[in-house]
Amino acid sequence: MSDPDWAGPLGSADSLVAMSAGSEAPEWTALQERASIVAGRHLREMFASDPGRGTSMVATAGDLYLDYSKNRVDAETLRLLLALARRAGLATRIEAMFSGEAINVTEDRAVLHVALRAPRDSSMSTGGIDVVPGVHRVLDRMAMLADAVRSGSWLGCTGRRIRNVVNIGIGGSDLGPAMAYDALADFSDRDLSLRFVSNVDGADITEATRALDPAETLFVVCSKTFTTTETLVNARTARDWLLAGLAAGPDRALFGGARDAIARHFVAVSTNAADVTEFGIDPANMFEFWDWVGGRYSLPSAIGLSLMIAIGPEAFRDMLAGYRLIDEHFRSAPFEANLPVLLGVLGVWYRNFLGAQTTAILPYSHYLARLPAYLQQLDMESNGKSVDMHGRTVNHATGPVLWGQPGTNGQHAFFQLLHQGTILVPVDFIGFARARHGLESHHHLLSANLFAQSEALAFGRTADEVAASGLEPALVAARTFDGNRPSNTIVADELNPSVLGQLIALYEHKIFVQGVIWGVNSFDQWGVELGKVAAVRILGELQGDRSAAEEDANQDSPGHDSSTAALIRWYRSRQTSSARPSSARPQIGLTARRNLSAT
Ligand code: F6P
């Protein structure tokens, strides 16, 4: 920090708190100037003036090959973007994260999800404690359970083999295992059926348990806090379903009561042993993780237990090894060749300097259908912030809206807007050289679409080209594609557990890079708390005695605006006596009511 105009680190704990490079940094101003130059340049021109661009603007890490040449940047723009990252203290912050410093300042916690994939013989400490032995102790216990279920030695309480595993959790306790189970379906034991319940909508648990035999079903209740209302309500309904089904099922003579049944059919993944025990789950069947793992970063922890049961411990460890490849790359590669850093700064370029509000993730893999939803939480819960690490309102844009769908389906839905709409949507294409299903012609066609889309977005089709095809002049404009629409292309040989781990780590660290530049804490999520508290309060009004306000239908409920009060009255008035919510009232325990604890 030799720049005399630079305010310097703010406070003594430099590595904990971002230096808020943001809009105060000289590089920011330089990038704004750069944007006015680059905005007028077309990718066609950039490729024409540098024929080697498509092979020079690439970087590799592990099995991943990133082509970032179809971005609206030149060498000077990239240099400035990387200088901005340096100005924000990115190198120091990376080290602070890997060193177990409490960089999650609003919760005073370390951020050590990288320790979840650290090798057994390594060490990573926080608060003077090496966490790696604990990580491997839990992984070993998970492996024992996974092997027992997969081999058939873990039996249900009536002696039947487990054939169905139902993961109950929400947010980070659902999206990761659900996404990865789909992604690695081809590596899973097809004799086991995995289902995921997350929504408090009773339809979710109803459909997930439909046609399952309770005697052959294992529930994995995942909740870091074990206070999340949706998860507790679903877990209680699952417990009722299990006990009722066992008591009435063909093996009822062997049903030895609730305690035994819950011990054989429920396991928990949590940091909260007390509430797990209160629920009735044997602490011996609890798989621990730690407060230094954020929910959305928890797939490689015990939250991945249902995935491990599906794909087996060895494949799970391959996935962890994949994560680790990118962790090591992120920590050691120069920024110019560092995939998460490059993706991060390119995202900042579009968000802050070219005005993009959204970004799309387009995996050309049916197996990665849930990747966009997974990355939505990872990105938007991490960087959807408007105050910086010092609690000051930021004066620059932060995280974009992230969305997407697999190709080629998306092409027949929203790609029209990507090609000819009026907003800029930078996209990430993800694809693979080979598919394991053996239907080569399908795979070639899928991949042809991927490459064609990135090419068409970048280069478009000029009015002259359209006119040259002999089209009636009046129709030329509608068939013209401006192009100049940026994309990254990330490819690997095939989708396997290691490559999945690499892709997830790539995005985790990209998001971290952006959070550092924006000066926000990417590891808290206070924005989801208000809605939780409000819902618990309204639940009481929906299912409880009529409130004083409702006795007088003309009066608004105290504390509610007139719209919310009217909606609550409407809802209550529509309940038939048999369907009144109080007749099937979800039990919200005390712990759920105080579910303000951050995850
Ligand atoms: O949606 C908010 C959130 O706190 C997420 O961050 C988290 O992944 C999810 O709820 C589930 O929390 P828990 O694992 O504690 O049930």
Side-chain angles (χ1 to χ4, degrees):
M1 291 297 153
S2 55
D3 186 337
D5 295 332
W6 175 244
L10 299 160
S12 53
D14 306 342
S15 55
L16 300 188
V17 178
M19 295 180 189
S20 301
S23 42
E24 295 151 35
E27 289 79 4
W28 193 278
T29 314
L31 280 160
Q32 284 173 322
E33 285 160 15
R34 198 79 213 145
S36 58
I37 301 167
V38 174
R41 295 190 64 198
H42 199 290
L43 281 166
R44 280 187 215 118
E45 186 193 325
M46 294 188 194
F47 272 82
S49 64
D50 175 10
R53 186 178 169 99
T55 48
S56 62
M57 291 179 73
V58 299
T60 57
D63 296 298
L64 305 180
Y65 174 97
L66 165 69
D67 174 351
Y68 59 97
S69 63
K70 294 192 185 85
N71 280 288
R72 291 168 60 179
V73 290
D74 55 13
E76 176 59 6
T77 312
L78 265 178
R79 189 192 69 72
L80 285 169
L81 284 166
L82 295 176
L84 181 69
R86 290 191 178 95
R87 172 73 71 177
L90 179 59
T92 312
R93 297 262 292 145
I94 292 172
E95 273 320 295
M97 176 169 74
F98 278 88
S99 314
E101 293 184 42
I103 61 169
N104 177 355
V105 289
T106 60
E107 296 172 343
D108 192 24
R109 289 176 181 170
V111 174
L112 261 185
H113 45 270
V114 288
L116 298 171
R117 48 266 193 163
R120 200 182 281 276
D121 59 359
S122 68
S123 69
M124 275 194 176
S125 301
T126 183
I129 296 168
D130 183 1
V131 299
V132 175
V135 164
H136 284 273
R137 196 169 49 245
V138 174
L139 283 171
D140 291 343
R141 286 188 59 227
M142 290 165 62
M144 278 169 64
L145 177 76
D147 282 337
V149 172
R150 290 164 64 85
S151 68
S153 65
W154 178 286
L155 299 176
C157 66
T158 62
R160 300 250 216 111
R161 188 178 177 151
I162 297 297
R163 303 204 179 274
N164 317 301
V165 177
V166 181
N167 190 91
I168 299 178
I170 195 165
S173 298
D174 163 71
L175 288 162
M179 175 276 291
Y181 175 59
D182 280 1
L184 301 178
D186 200 37
F187 295 80
S188 70
D189 179 342
R190 304 285 188 169
D191 290 333
L192 282 169
S193 130
L194 249 78
R195 301 186 182 189
F196 292 86
V197 175
S198 54
N199 201 329
V200 78
D201 183 342
D204 200 0
I205 184 102
T206 303
E207 293 302 330
T209 52
R210 188 178 294 283
L212 296 189
D213 182 344
E216 298 181 342
T217 301
L218 176 71
F219 290 96
V220 181
V221 184
C222 291
S223 176
K224 179 176 169 184
T225 56
F226 225 77
T227 63
T228 302
T229 307
E230 291 92 330
T231 300
L232 294 187
V233 168
N234 278 323
R236 288 197 184 98
T237 301
R239 189 175 57 189
D240 294 347
W241 173 87
L242 176 86
L243 298 179
L246 290 170
D251 301 342
R252 55 187 169 277
L254 300 168
F255 173 44
R259 197 186 164 86
D260 180 44
I262 293 171
R264 301 307 300 170
H265 294 269
F266 273 85
V267 299
V269 179
S270 187
T271 57
N272 181 351
D275 285 6
V276 167
T277 313
E278 189 191 311
F279 180 88
I281 296 176
D282 185 346
N285 291 341
M286 178 180 134
F287 295 82
E288 176 196 8
F289 68 119
W290 306 272
D291 71 359
W292 40 262
V293 183
R296 53 195 176 273
Y297 298 87
S298 64
L299 171 63
S301 75
I303 290 291
L305 179 60
S306 52
L307 173 70
M308 189 194 269
I309 294 172
I311 64 173
E314 201 181 319
F316 194 87
R317 287 186 195 280
D318 287 349
M319 182 180 80
L320 298 184
Y323 272 95
R324 189 158 63 236
L325 275 174
I326 301 299
D327 293 344
E328 285 163 3
H329 166 83
F330 180 50
R331 197 175 184 184
S332 61
F335 286 177
E336 288 73 9
N338 192 311
L339 268 66
V341 173
L342 289 168
L343 286 186
V345 299
L346 287 166
V348 166
W349 173 241
Y350 295 117
R351 184 77 187 100
N352 298 102
F353 301 99
L354 297 190
Q357 299 226 349
T358 100
T359 187
I361 304 288
L362 308 171
Y364 275 64
S365 164
H366 186 70
Y367 287 122
L368 290 179
R370 300 209 56 179
L371 184 67
Y374 172 79
L375 294 180
Q376 252 170 4
Q377 186 200 18
L378 193 63
D379 200 323
M380 294 166 78
E381 204 166 82
S382 296
N383 285 339
K385 311 282 165 69
S386 54
V387 294
D388 69 11
M389 305 263 285
H390 305 274
R392 300 172 308 203
T393 302
V394 296
N395 57 4
H396 50 262
T398 60
V401 175
L402 185 149
W403 56 284
Q405 258 191 47
T408 58
N409 293 6
Q411 290 175 210
H412 297 269
F414 52 79
F415 271 51
Q416 165 64 39
L417 182 148
L418 299 186
H419 284 286
Q420 290 188 312
T422 53
I423 60 170
L424 172 69
V425 185
V427 306
D428 285 359
F429 289 103
I430 299 172
F432 302 96
R434 297 187 299 270
R436 290 162 52 93
H437 49 62
L439 301 173
E440 266 196 9
S441 57
H442 283 251
H443 192 67
H444 292 329
L445 186 55
L446 177 76
S447 306
N449 273 280
L450 186 167
F451 301 135
Q453 289 298 328
S454 73
E455 188 173 41
L457 282 169
F459 302 105
R461 197 164 178 231
T462 64
D464 287 348
E465 286 166 350
V466 178
S469 69
L471 197 73
E472 203 182 310
L475 297 177
V476 168
R479 305 245 184 141
T480 297
F481 290 71
D482 291 338
N484 213 19
R485 304 195 179 230
S487 66
N488 293 302
T489 302
I490 302 160
V491 287
D493 278 357
E494 66 165 23
L495 178 59
N496 58 35
S498 168
V499 166
L500 181 68
Q502 293 174 48
L503 282 171
I504 300 171
L506 172 65
Y507 281 99
E508 285 179 350
H509 298 319
K510 169 208 161 173
I511 290 162
F512 177 70
V513 168
Q514 297 188 327
V516 169
I517 293 174
W518 289 325
V520 299
N521 178 7
S522 301
F523 302 104
D524 61 10
Q525 58 284 317
W526 297 108
V528 295
E529 298 302 328
L530 176 62
K532 292 185 188 174
V533 181
V536 170
R537 181 175 154 223
I538 290 178
L539 175 66
E541 296 175 35
L542 294 186
Q543 67 184 10
D545 295 334
R546 291 171 70 83
S547 69
E550 282 178 303
E551 297 301 339
D552 174 0
N554 296 322
Q555 191 187 329
D556 290 333
S557 297
H560 288 302
D561 60 275
S562 60
S563 161
T564 309
L567 288 167
I568 292 170
R569 282 198 302 275
W570 173 87
Y571 182 86
R572 285 190 57 124
S573 74
R574 293 303 190 277
Q575 305 303 311
T576 61
S577 53
S578 63
R580 281 193 75 83
S582 52
S583 63
R585 183 175 302 179
Q587 299 297 304
I588 308 287
L590 276 179
T591 46
R593 286 182 188 280
R594 57 158 211 264
N595 87 10
L596 292 169
S597 39
T599 57

